[in-house]
Amino acid sequence: MSVATLEEGPVLGPSFFLDRTALRALALARRDAYGAARPHPHVVIDGFLGERLASGLAAVFPGASEASWKRRDHQEQAARLGQLQRKAFEGVPGALRHLLSEFSSMSFIDFLETLTGVQGLIADPHFRGAGLHLTLRGGHLALHADFNRDRFRALSRRLTVLYYLNPDWEPAWGGDLELWTSDLARCETRIAPILDRLVVMAHGDDHWHGHPAALECPEGRGRAAVAAYFYTAQASPDAPEAHSAIWAPPRS
């Protein structure tokens, strides 16, 4: 099911927008599955944008030498490229930057709220820790639970969204997203990073996940993902009571 609407622009050429009506129908159809999923709430949606659009986005996803990537090589993660948001995604093709914008849109946030039941979601326009990720051959991401707070805005993390852009991905290459039980006893769910697959996951301090085995994709290929994180605000006990606009009295 594609939830994108393609439009032809006189200057910029083809563009796309997330269809709010289609997204709501999709959320209603999948919300029970999201809540019942194990080992923690999540949903996997294939064909999210449609093959034409997804293939176009994959074709312009920057390779290892085509963007100002920051490379991470640590015990916990190796041959992983990211942090393009530090330069405001400078040099990233417009279609991918537009996708990031759509992931922060009213239509997409409404979709997430209907799907998950979490109200008052707040997107992160800075994409701290998120944005575009590329893992190269031999790379991995160890099992982990995600950071829980946006310290700059005093927000609590609630959801992670991952969108994969890997055409013709072979199972033998690895790279499956693994979701492990809270006691780390076993991997309960594996999600291959195939083209046009959207994953929405609840946040939790015992929601272990990663792709810990080294990638075995060919040289020149990589595991491409677009990530977005969503938060909620916590009410302050000393916050003033909410009110509508306060109008000044008419001047004589």
Side-chain angles (χ1 to χ4, degrees):
M1 174 182 181
S2 170
V3 296
T5 300
L6 288 169
E7 296 186 0
E8 295 291 334
V11 177
L12 297 178
S15 58
F16 66 93
F17 299 93
L18 294 178
D19 186 309
R20 192 180 186 194
T21 300
L23 279 171
R24 176 169 175 76
L26 178 60
L28 290 171
R30 303 300 296 274
R31 63 182 178 180
D32 289 345
Y34 171 87
R38 296 292 179 267
H40 53 261
H42 71 276
V43 71
V44 179
I45 299 171
D46 289 332
F48 184 68
L49 296 180
E51 184 175 358
R52 174 188 172 190
L53 180 52
S55 296
L57 292 167
V60 298
F61 196 97
S65 62
E66 297 172 340
S68 300
W69 298 102
K70 177 181 175 63
R71 177 165 173 152
R72 294 184 182 273
D73 281 299
H74 309 296
Q75 179 179 354
E76 297 82 10
Q77 52 182 321
R80 281 177 46 82
L81 311 182
Q83 300 294 346
L84 294 180
Q85 70 274 25
R86 291 186 173 184
K87 293 188 176 181
F89 301 104
E90 179 181 315
V92 172
L96 287 166
R97 297 175 70 172
H98 180 69
L99 175 64
L100 293 171
S101 179
E102 286 293 284
F103 279 168
S104 298
S105 70
M106 173 184 65
S107 295
F108 193 69
I109 290 174
D110 286 352
F111 159 72
L112 292 176
E113 291 184 343
T114 302
L115 174 71
T116 67
V118 180
Q119 299 301 303
L121 288 173
I122 301 169
D124 177 17
H126 298 279
F127 288 91
R128 291 187 178 95
L132 274 59
H133 294 155
L134 182 66
T135 306
L136 306 179
R137 177 179 172 83
H140 74 279
L141 177 62
L143 294 178
H144 65 286
D146 289 317
F147 67 86
N148 67 340
R149 296 279 288 173
D150 180 332
R151 292 173 293 173
F152 297 93
R153 299 184 294 169
L155 300 176
S156 297
R157 184 157 167 190
R158 303 300 300 274
L159 299 175
T160 295
V161 169
L162 300 169
Y163 179 65
Y164 294 115
L165 288 170
N166 301 296
D168 304 318
W169 190 261
E170 296 287 344
W173 298 350
D176 287 4
L177 175 65
E178 300 182 8
L179 308 184
W180 283 61
T181 55
S182 59
D183 59 0
L184 285 172
R186 67 185 185 282
C187 174
E188 190 156 323
T189 300
R190 292 177 179 272
I191 303 169
I194 63 174
L195 179 71
D196 204 19
R197 171 169 281 177
L198 184 85
V199 180
V200 180
M201 300 189 301
H203 170 80
D205 286 347
D206 60 356
H207 291 6
W208 304 104
H209 62 281
H211 53 99
L215 281 187
E216 297 184 18
C217 58
E219 292 291 345
R221 287 295 303 264
R223 182 184 185 274
V226 180
Y229 307 150
F230 296 85
Y231 304 82
T232 54
Q234 302 300 314
S236 173
D238 57 354
E241 185 176 349
H243 59 71
S244 58
I246 302 174
W247 301 97
R251 301 180 65 182
S252 58

